[in-house]
Amino acid sequence: MSTKWTSVMKRIQFLILSLVWVYKSFHSVTCEQNVNKTCELEHKPGSKYFPESFKFGVSTAAYQIEGGWNSDGRGPSIWDTYTHEHPEMIADHSTADVGPDSYHLFDKDLEALKELKVHFYRFSISWSRILPDGLITSKNQKGIDYYNMVIDKLLANGIEPMVTMFHYDLPESLNLYGGFTNQLLIKYFLDYAQLLFDSFGDRVKVWITFNEPFDYCMPGYGEGNYPPMGKDSGIADYLCMDTTLKAHAETYRLYKGHYFEKQKGKIGITISSRFYYSKTNNTTLIDRAMQYSLGWLAYPIFGETGNYPQMIIDDIAENSRKEGRTWSRLPIISESERNLIKHSADFLGLNYYTSRYVEIADPPRGKQPSWDYDSRLKYALDPKWKRAKSSWLYCVPHGLESLLNWIRLSFNNIEVMVTENGWSDDGQLDDTERIDYLKAHLQAVLNAVNNGCNVTHYTHWSLIDNFEWQKGYTEKFGLYYVNSGSVTKERIAKYSARYYKGVIETRTIQNADV
């Protein structure tokens, strides 16, 4: 098919989809919910340009986009098992078995990346595709070949690969050993990480060990509504966090001790966090909320003790004693482990989407034991905040600015890469709300940079519409619409893609009229 004819077809698809979404807009409650609500942030005094060294990119995750769930030797992950055996847990009873099918159609993703002119692409590797049984003895060369192809094509087009080693999709075979509640997982992860460094480290210079530990540990091992559906809150979820923390630190030391001298890359971890405001400006309360979220893992890694925040240690020890236990539910970190953990990252990857107001919960919320009960916090919204399609997602750009400044002051201005930030809707091409959100949060990052925060990367979530975990395909975060009804699953640029490209090309925050 000629390039001219392809362009015409894309224009026709764009027109048809636009008409569909115009029709839907007349029947959407979202507009009613967001009347007179804003998603803006003012530019604070300072340069209007992002520094020349600042990099812009986009994010995806293997399970959400790759499809090919059993292609070429890939083994099942806990998300495959979960969606296959418990379709009732997914909003539209869907799976990611095919999805955007990036395993077979990566070139379409590459075209979108080139069109955006991003500096880097953050993607994750499927542990199950590389090691189908999770063990080093099950090495799958076809999986390694796939990621070699992705990395090589990115570099050939001037796009830097930023690789996440683990993004929720634990091999099912390792779940049989207890998953993250078994510290033997640390050894399995080290074997996996070493294979990644050996296979790709000559070209990959930015590594992220784990994505959002809080978000797979708490619901997966405590609340039971994420795979592997463990319901041992206040114990198993804390074991998961502890195993993750130690596996990260061991992986960092492995890289620095055996690979860094030759490969010269950076290695960090991505932690998700909101910022928490107090209606009475109670800084002690704000700090409590921050320590029970971002600080849970950031404090051991980027602080000076290599241990959990002292308030968390004390709270959980006291609650454990009151429950009649002879030991704390929070695992103890030994002195040798603290030395291993302390300063075990070159940067903090930060996933930020929204914020909340926080208050003390008296009496504590949640069942006993649980994170809710131990933290003794409850949360509130500002009615002026604009809501996305996702029920939890509100536009609070000043929260990102506040969070970046909190990190600067709390952790000696460590390097921060914003590794996810995005807005959900129904998938319409005329996605002006996403542009508003993007514009405001870019302004938050620039304000923080102008205030001296060491922020070096901004990553939009996501490149394309994809499988959104428990929400299936009912919520969309992509800059590109995926024509899921087509065999070739065309990626069609939304208005937000054009907007983001303009920001990248000019290094300035553009007006939102597109």
Side-chain angles (χ1 to χ4, degrees):
M1 183 181 294
S2 70
T3 302
K4 181 178 180 181
W5 180 244
T6 301
S7 177
V8 170
M9 290 299 295
K10 283 191 174 184
R11 288 177 181 273
I12 292 172
Q13 287 176 325
F14 186 92
L15 177 60
I16 293 172
L17 290 166
S18 295
L19 289 172
V20 170
W21 291 118
V22 166
Y23 171 80
K24 284 188 174 183
S25 70
F26 284 103
H27 301 271
S28 172
V29 297
T30 304
C31 294
E32 296 175 8
Q33 292 170 338
N34 291 334
V35 169
N36 297 324
K37 296 186 179 183
T38 59
C39 188
E40 300 175 347
L41 190 68
E42 290 185 4
H43 175 76
K44 290 185 176 178
S47 173
K48 68 176 184 178
Y49 295 98
F50 285 91
E52 282 297 318
S53 59
F54 193 90
K55 296 181 179 180
F56 297 94
V58 288
S59 291
T60 61
Y63 182 75
Q64 293 177 272
I65 69 164
E66 282 184 3
W69 80 278
N70 60 355
S71 296
D72 294 334
R74 181 186 179 277
S77 75
I78 58 174
W79 270 92
D80 295 305
T81 303
Y82 179 67
T83 56
H84 294 168
E85 297 184 359
H86 297 280
E88 75 281 1
M89 300 296 287
I90 309 301
D92 55 3
H93 293 193
S94 64
T95 73
D97 289 1
V98 178
D101 204 17
S102 293
Y103 181 70
H104 299 104
L105 302 172
F106 173 71
D107 282 347
K108 294 188 180 295
D109 294 341
L110 182 63
E111 285 303 311
L113 293 165
K114 290 162 59 179
E115 188 173 70
L116 285 171
K117 297 189 176 180
V118 292
H119 303 129
F120 67 93
Y121 177 42
R122 180 192 173 216
F123 64 96
S124 75
I125 288 177
S126 167
W127 191 341
S128 297
R129 199 176 294 285
I130 295 287
L131 299 173
D133 294 337
L135 308 178
I136 195 64
T137 52
S138 65
K139 186 167 70 170
N140 180 24
Q141 189 59 47
K142 288 186 177 180
I144 294 172
D145 291 344
Y146 171 71
Y147 294 110
N148 270 322
M149 178 272 293
V150 169
I151 291 165
D152 287 344
K153 286 189 175 182
L154 290 173
L155 291 171
N157 286 278
I159 302 169
E160 180 182 7
M162 178 188 289
V163 174
T164 302
M165 300 178 179
F166 180 80
H167 196 129
Y168 293 8
D169 49 351
L170 184 71
E172 177 60 41
S173 57
L174 295 183
N175 187 46
L176 301 178
Y177 298 106
F180 279 90
T181 64
N182 185 347
Q183 292 213 340
L184 190 60
L185 188 84
I186 297 170
K187 293 184 177 181
Y188 293 142
F189 188 81
L190 278 174
D191 282 345
Y192 167 58
Q194 185 166 356
L195 177 60
L196 298 187
F197 296 147
D198 286 338
S199 301
F200 314 121
D202 58 326
R203 288 151 293 154
V204 174
K205 303 305 174 186
V206 182
W207 294 98
I208 294 167
T209 53
F210 295 93
N211 179 78
E212 299 180 333
F214 190 95
D215 298 85
Y216 61 80
C217 287
M218 298 302 175
Y221 293 89
E223 299 163 14
N225 52 16
Y226 258 37
M229 301 181 73
K231 295 184 178 181
D232 192 13
S233 62
I235 300 175
D237 43 7
Y238 294 2
L239 285 173
C240 174
M241 294 285 278
D242 194 69
T243 300
T244 299
L245 176 63
K246 292 169 182 174
H248 161 79
E250 291 275 14
T251 303
Y252 178 84
R253 300 302 174 192
L254 170 68
Y255 186 79
K256 289 298 182 180
H258 295 89
Y259 293 93
F260 175 74
E261 185 175 351
K262 185 175 182 180
Q263 296 183 357
K264 304 297 183 185
K266 289 184 176 183
I267 186 166
I269 188 170
T270 281
I271 305 175
S272 61
S273 186
R274 299 169 177 175
F275 189 76
Y276 297 96
Y277 291 99
S278 163
K279 293 180 180 179
T280 59
N281 200 29
N282 183 332
T283 55
T284 300
L285 177 59
I286 293 171
D287 186 66
R288 178 179 185 80
M290 290 305 305
Q291 296 297 357
Y292 263 95
S293 53
L294 179 69
W296 193 294
L297 293 185
Y299 191 84
I301 295 171
F302 299 103
E304 297 303 321
T305 68
N307 206 348
Y308 295 115
Q310 192 62 46
M311 73 167 64
I312 291 179
I313 295 173
D314 294 344
D315 288 346
I316 297 174
E318 176 63 14
N319 285 343
S320 299
R321 185 190 65 77
K322 290 178 180 178
E323 293 156 11
R325 303 175 192 271
T326 58
W327 40 267
S328 175
R329 289 182 279 104
L330 183 69
I332 293 173
I333 302 178
S334 68
E335 182 178 357
S336 61
E337 289 171 334
R338 292 197 296 271
N339 290 331
L340 194 76
I341 293 166
K342 184 171 62 175
H343 302 160
S344 62
D346 298 314
F347 63 89
L348 168 63
L350 178 67
N351 289 356
Y352 174 86
Y353 288 88
T354 193
S355 288
R356 293 290 188 270
Y357 281 96
V358 65
E359 302 171 22
I360 286 292
D362 188 16
R365 303 185 316 149
K367 66 178 181 179
Q368 189 177 8
S370 67
W371 177 86
D372 278 331
Y373 190 91
D374 288 333
S375 66
R376 303 198 311 276
L377 297 170
K378 61 181 180 179
Y379 308 98
L381 298 164
D382 188 324
K384 296 191 297 295
W385 292 346
K386 188 174 186 174
R387 207 199 91 179
K389 177 71 181 294
S390 305
S391 61
W392 55 270
L393 178 49
Y394 292 78
C395 183
V396 195
H398 53 84
L400 177 54
E401 183 179 346
S402 298
L403 181 56
L404 291 170
N405 279 295
W406 188 88
I407 292 168
R408 173 176 62 85
L409 295 172
S410 299
F411 301 120
N412 196 30
N413 204 16
I414 56 171
E415 180 180 358
V416 176
M417 300 182 186
V418 178
T419 44
E420 286 182 29
N421 177 241
W423 181 258
S424 63
D425 60 16
D426 289 307
Q428 58 266 42
L429 300 179
D430 183 2
D431 56 342
T432 53
E433 289 188 357
R434 177 169 292 104
I435 294 172
D436 291 343
Y437 179 94
L438 177 56
K439 179 176 183 285
H441 286 77
L442 285 168
Q443 187 63 66
V445 173
L446 184 56
N447 286 350
V449 169
N450 285 335
N451 197 40
C453 294
N454 187 17
V455 190
T456 61
H457 294 62
Y458 173 85
T459 321
H460 187 272
W461 180 272
S462 175
L463 172 64
I464 55 177
D465 290 339
N466 54 48
F467 180 84
E468 192 51 46
W469 307 115
Q470 281 188 325
K471 294 301 180 180
Y473 300 99
T474 65
E475 296 177 1
K476 308 293 178 62
F477 282 83
L479 296 171
Y480 284 77
Y481 170 87
V482 176
N483 187 359
S484 58
S486 164
V487 174
T488 52
K489 302 189 184 302
E490 298 83 9
R491 279 66 162 147
I492 301 171
K494 302 177 186 179
Y495 286 1
S496 57
R498 187 178 0 165
Y499 176 80
Y500 192 36
K501 177 182 179 180
V503 172
I504 296 170
E505 288 181 318
T506 64
R507 294 192 172 274
T508 62
I509 299 170
Q510 305 288 292
N511 291 329
D513 52 331
V514 295

